Amino acid sequence: MKAALAPSSLTSLSYRTNSSSFRSSLLFRSPSSSASMTTTTTRGNVAVAAAATSTEALRKGIAEFYNETSGLWEEIWGDHMHHGFYDPDSSVQLSDSGHREAQIRMIEESLRFAGVTTDEEEEKNIKKIVDVGCGIGGSSRYLASKFGAESIGITLSPVQANRANDLAAAQSLAHKVSFQVADALDQPFEDGKFDLVWSMESGEHMPDKAKFVNELVRVVAPGGRIIIVTWCHRNLSAGEKALQPWEQNLLDKICKTFYLPAWCSTDDYVHLLQSHSLQDIKCADWSENVAPFWPAVIRTALTWKGLVSLLRSGMKSIKGALTMPLMIEGYKKGVIKFGIITCRKPL
Ligand code: SAH
């Protein structure tokens, strides 16, 4: 799944929305320095240059991470690189196929929550899909088959794009589904092209959430849906300016291994979407529904096959595996939230 850059400069951005103005920080650490550096707009060009370098380093780190780890993930977990959706409090130890079903259920629950599959007319109108941060294309192939639609997936990892195209060809879907290396923050598509804009567990990698949302809004067609399913931190309460230091420390450790910039909350996403005059903006916290996922991943990593594959895969995978307990801790302590945020572009 995810891994890490050794992040290191702290860039604060503020952006204004219709309903409120809020601050979000972007956190990177340069591999050469462990000291945090705060850059603000007052530092002008220096800050911009530092942010650009950090963004480039992050992109490279993400690409290398997924180049290295995707084969291992596919071998053990298959082609969906996202959490499963489970009934809350389900304590059953599922078989491998049970977890795969839970990953498919995540896709189905997301479509239902967004209102895509509860409206026959809307479902029929889904002809073009973009899968933003597509992994090895599990969602794209599933969605294209389900809706009889075309899907284009983008990823930073050339290894993933190649593998996703090979799998599409093997499943006789190459005429419907294709994958390419492209940046979600600068998508190579014209405005209003897609009826469904799908981002399953890629938003947490985006160093500029405002730009990310701008791009999703730009490429969605009038009347189309945007579905963002992503790792968030908890919403801040009224008057609270930032997470507690211990909470931030926990997230920083996860960022280091999983190549993530600073996190934001579901409220932050909602505010960003509100600033674009979108309709039906909805969000939910599905943290309870994903709780069995990481313990299951750890259990598979600890099997003989899992351990051998991990060692073969390399340091990034090993570091990723060692960070998994921190994800469980983050969920248990309520710092990490598994969020879904959806909306519709007006006709
Ligand atoms: N959505 C997929 C994979 C999730 S893993 C699934 O559910 O199976 C995260 C994915 O986000 C990876 O494919 C990674 O390359 C992609 N990603 C991260 N940052 C990106 C960016 N800036 N542009 C495009 N893809 C990005």
Side-chain angles (χ1 to χ4, degrees):
M1 301 213 46
K2 320 274 186 251
L5 173 73
S8 109
S9 67
L10 183 68
T11 307
S12 291
L13 276 192
S14 57
Y15 29 95
R16 180 157 282 287
T17 70
N18 281 349
S19 57
S20 66
S21 119
F22 63 95
R23 289 178 73 75
S24 172
S25 56
L26 308 180
L27 184 111
F28 306 104
R29 256 177 233 150
S30 75
S32 56
S33 159
S34 60
S36 276
M37 175 176 88
T38 301
T39 53
T40 67
T41 46
T42 53
R43 293 206 198 162
N45 293 340
V46 177
V48 172
T53 311
S54 302
T55 304
E56 197 38 54
L58 179 64
R59 260 201 297 264
K60 189 164 173 281
I62 292 169
E64 286 171 357
F65 172 64
Y66 285 107
N67 282 346
E68 181 181 309
T69 61
S70 295
L72 167 69
W73 184 267
E74 184 185 355
E75 191 184 327
I76 310 263
W77 274 77
D79 62 346
H80 294 290
M81 304 178 78
H82 58 250
H83 285 67
F85 186 103
Y86 307 84
D87 290 322
D89 298 326
S90 72
S91 52
V92 265
Q93 292 235 343
L94 294 170
S95 62
D96 291 355
S97 66
H99 290 293
R100 179 163 173 94
E101 279 161 27
Q103 289 177 310
I104 302 278
R105 186 171 169 198
M106 174 61 73
I107 298 177
E108 287 292 346
E109 295 284 347
S110 302
L111 292 169
R112 189 183 356 208
F113 179 83
V116 173
T117 44
T118 49
D119 179 335
E120 253 178 53
E121 256 327 282
E122 180 161 341
E123 197 168 335
K124 265 196 268 154
N125 288 337
I126 296 193
K127 299 281 173 238
K128 285 195 189 311
I129 302 168
V130 63
D131 185 357
V132 180
C134 61
I136 55 170
S139 294
S140 277
R141 287 184 298 274
Y142 183 84
L143 294 168
S145 302
K146 180 180 176 73
F147 296 118
E150 283 173 25
S151 182
I152 302 179
I154 58 172
T155 169
L156 291 179
S157 155
V159 169
Q160 285 190 329
N162 288 337
R163 180 65 184 148
N165 280 320
D166 286 350
L167 287 171
Q171 294 169 23
S172 308
L173 281 171
H175 60 299
K176 287 273 188 201
V177 185
S178 67
F179 301 92
Q180 57 188 270
V181 173
D183 190 348
L185 303 184
D186 186 16
Q187 297 182 28
F189 309 121
E190 69 258 33
D191 298 0
K193 185 177 164 86
F194 300 104
D195 310 305
L196 178 60
V197 172
W198 178 263
S199 166
M200 175 62 70
E201 295 193 40
S202 64
E204 55 271 29
H205 282 298
M206 306 299 164
D208 185 334
K209 308 294 186 212
K211 207 166 175 189
F212 172 52
V213 167
N214 282 350
E215 279 295 84
L216 302 185
V217 174
R218 183 181 68 74
V219 299
V220 71
R225 294 272 173 188
I226 299 175
I227 300 181
I228 303 166
V229 180
T230 185
W231 307 5
C232 291
H233 67 59
R234 68 173 173 83
N235 289 326
L236 299 181
S237 39
E240 216 181 5
K241 293 267 181 290
L243 294 173
Q244 300 292 315
W246 70 265
E247 295 176 309
Q248 193 55 59
N249 281 340
L250 177 64
L251 297 187
D252 287 356
K253 283 188 206 147
I254 294 170
C255 288
K256 277 187 191 162
T257 315
F258 282 155
Y259 291 89
L260 304 174
W263 301 40
C264 72
S265 67
T266 44
D267 273 359
D268 290 338
Y269 273 111
V270 168
H271 291 144
L272 281 172
L273 291 171
Q274 283 170 342
S275 72
H276 287 277
S277 314
L278 296 155
Q279 294 174 334
D280 296 350
I281 301 174
K282 294 197 291 181
C283 68
D285 173 4
W286 282 354
S287 307
E288 278 190 24
N289 299 97
V290 300
F293 181 73
W294 286 102
V297 178
I298 291 175
R299 275 197 302 275
T300 55
L302 292 175
T303 60
W304 182 245
K305 181 183 173 199
L307 285 171
V308 170
S309 305
L310 252 184
L311 290 175
R312 268 209 221 109
S313 178
M315 268 323 281
K316 290 183 199 299
S317 304
I318 294 168
K319 281 188 187 164
L322 293 173
T323 303
M324 291 173 193
L326 296 179
M327 288 298 295
I328 298 175
E329 186 184 340
Y331 279 124
K332 282 205 174 132
K333 293 186 169 164
V335 188
I336 298 179
K337 297 289 178 185
F338 191 85
I340 175 161
I341 310 100
T342 68
C343 64
R344 186 165 188 257
K345 195 179 206 174
L347 275 170

